[in-house]
Amino acid sequence: MSALARTTLSAPPPDWAPRAAAIDWPTATEALHQQGSAVLPQLLSAPECSALAGLYSGASESTFRSRVVMQRHGFGQGEYRYFSYPLPRVVAGLREALYPHLAPIANQWNTAMGIDVRYPARHADFIARCHAAGQLRPTPLLLQYAPGDYNCLHQDLYGEHVFPLQVAILLSEPGHDFTGGEFVLTEQRPRMQSRAEVVPLLRGDAVVFAVHHRPVQGTRGPYRVQMRHGVSRLRSGQRHTLGVIFHDAE
C-alpha cells in the first residue's frame, strides 16, 4: 500500500451523511424506477479510490473474512475478498449513509410488487434483522480483475433477508488503469427476451442497481422483472471495485 493510501485511510473519517445527502436523489430515484440503475457521479475522490484499491493486497489478513477465486466456482474469472467485521471506516460509513436514501425506494418497490416486507429507516436496524435470522457474515467486498477476467451475470442474495438495492463503486480509471471491464446489467421481463445495458463509469463513480427484481409499470399494473449484473471481459490492465451490499450473509 502506498504512503498516500496509508495517509488517506488513517485520516479522520469523513462525515458520510452530508456527502450522501448531497447526491441528486430525485434524479437517481427516477433512473432507478425507469431502468433499475442509477449512476452517482464522483462519490469517492481519487485518493479514496486508491486507498481502497490498495487494501486488496496491502491490508492485513484480518481485514477480510474470505477470498474467492471466481474460476473455481464457475462465477467467471478474477477474484474478490469479503471484508470482515469491523468494516473499514469508509466502507461502514458508506453503507450506513446511503441506506436511508435507498430504503424508501425499496419499500416503494415492494409495495408495487405486492411484497409485504418493509425496511426500517436505519441500516443498523436492518442488520439487526439479518443477524437475528442467522445472517451474520458481512458482505461488502473488493473485486480485482486482470486481463481476460470477467464476472458472470448473477444476483447477490445470501439468505432470507435481502435488501433489493446495492452499490458498486469503480476504484480504477478506465482507459488508464484498464480497458474493457464494463459494468453490465440485464433485465428479463416475462415472456420477453433479456435486455442488456452497459453502465459507463469513471473512477469514483458509484452505480446503484436492483439486486434481484424490480417493478415495471405495465398496461395492467406493475409486474416484476428479474435483474442480473456482471462485468465484461477486461482487455488490459487491472480493475478494482468496491461492492456495498446492505444485507449480511448466512
Side-chain angles (χ1 to χ4, degrees):
M1 188 186 306
S2 69
L4 177 59
R6 285 193 295 271
T7 300
T8 300
L9 289 172
S10 63
D15 190 344
W16 290 104
R19 194 184 300 194
I23 292 168
D24 184 355
W25 286 111
T27 298
T29 299
E30 181 63 20
L32 284 164
H33 289 329
Q34 292 298 320
Q35 59 203 33
S37 68
V39 175
L40 310 180
Q42 297 300 286
L43 182 62
L44 295 181
S45 67
E48 289 167 340
C49 289
S50 296
L52 280 165
L55 288 177
Y56 198 90
S57 56
S60 66
E61 286 301 311
S62 63
T63 302
F64 302 98
R65 65 173 176 84
S66 66
R67 172 176 171 264
V68 176
V69 178
M70 295 188 216
Q71 193 169 8
R72 294 176 184 169
H73 305 276
F75 297 162
Q77 192 164 302
E79 59 184 59
Y80 52 88
R81 305 184 79 179
Y82 286 108
F83 288 105
S84 61
Y85 278 132
L87 298 173
R89 291 179 302 184
V90 60
V91 179
L94 282 168
R95 208 183 192 200
E96 293 164 5
L98 292 172
Y99 173 91
H101 299 277
L102 299 175
I105 303 170
N107 286 329
Q108 186 176 351
W109 281 8
N110 278 9
T111 298
M113 292 185 291
I115 299 172
D116 292 334
V117 174
R118 297 295 179 268
Y119 301 96
R122 295 173 62 248
H123 184 252
D125 295 330
F126 176 64
I127 284 296
R129 181 188 298 179
C130 291
H131 290 185
Q135 293 177 217
L136 302 173
R137 297 185 297 162
T139 50
L141 69 164
L142 278 178
L143 302 99
Q144 178 173 273
Y145 301 89
D149 289 350
Y150 61 95
N151 197 345
C152 293
L153 295 169
H154 65 283
Q155 299 169 326
D156 297 310
L157 301 178
Y158 300 121
E160 174 189 359
H161 296 282
V162 174
F163 190 71
L165 293 157
Q166 69 188 71
V167 175
I169 306 172
L170 183 61
L171 305 178
S172 306
E173 186 176 348
H176 181 269
D177 297 327
F178 70 95
T179 61
E182 295 89 357
F183 183 83
V184 180
L185 285 167
T186 63
E187 175 184 276
Q188 177 61 62
R189 302 190 180 197
R191 299 176 298 280
M192 297 176 66
Q193 293 183 331
S194 295
R195 180 180 70 89
E197 181 171 1
V198 174
V199 181
L201 298 171
L202 302 175
R203 180 172 62 174
D205 287 353
V207 56
V208 186
F209 56 97
V211 174
H212 183 199
H213 47 231
R214 71 178 184 93
V216 170
Q217 186 63 40
T219 56
R220 299 181 180 179
Y223 60 93
R224 300 185 196 186
V225 300
Q226 294 284 331
M227 303 292 294
R228 287 179 170 80
H229 64 279
V231 173
S232 69
R233 181 172 58 86
L234 205 76
R235 292 176 173 80
S236 66
Q238 192 173 66
R239 180 189 192 274
H240 288 95
T241 306
L242 171 66
V244 181
I245 298 166
F246 296 96
H247 48 275
D248 276 354
E250 292 177 336

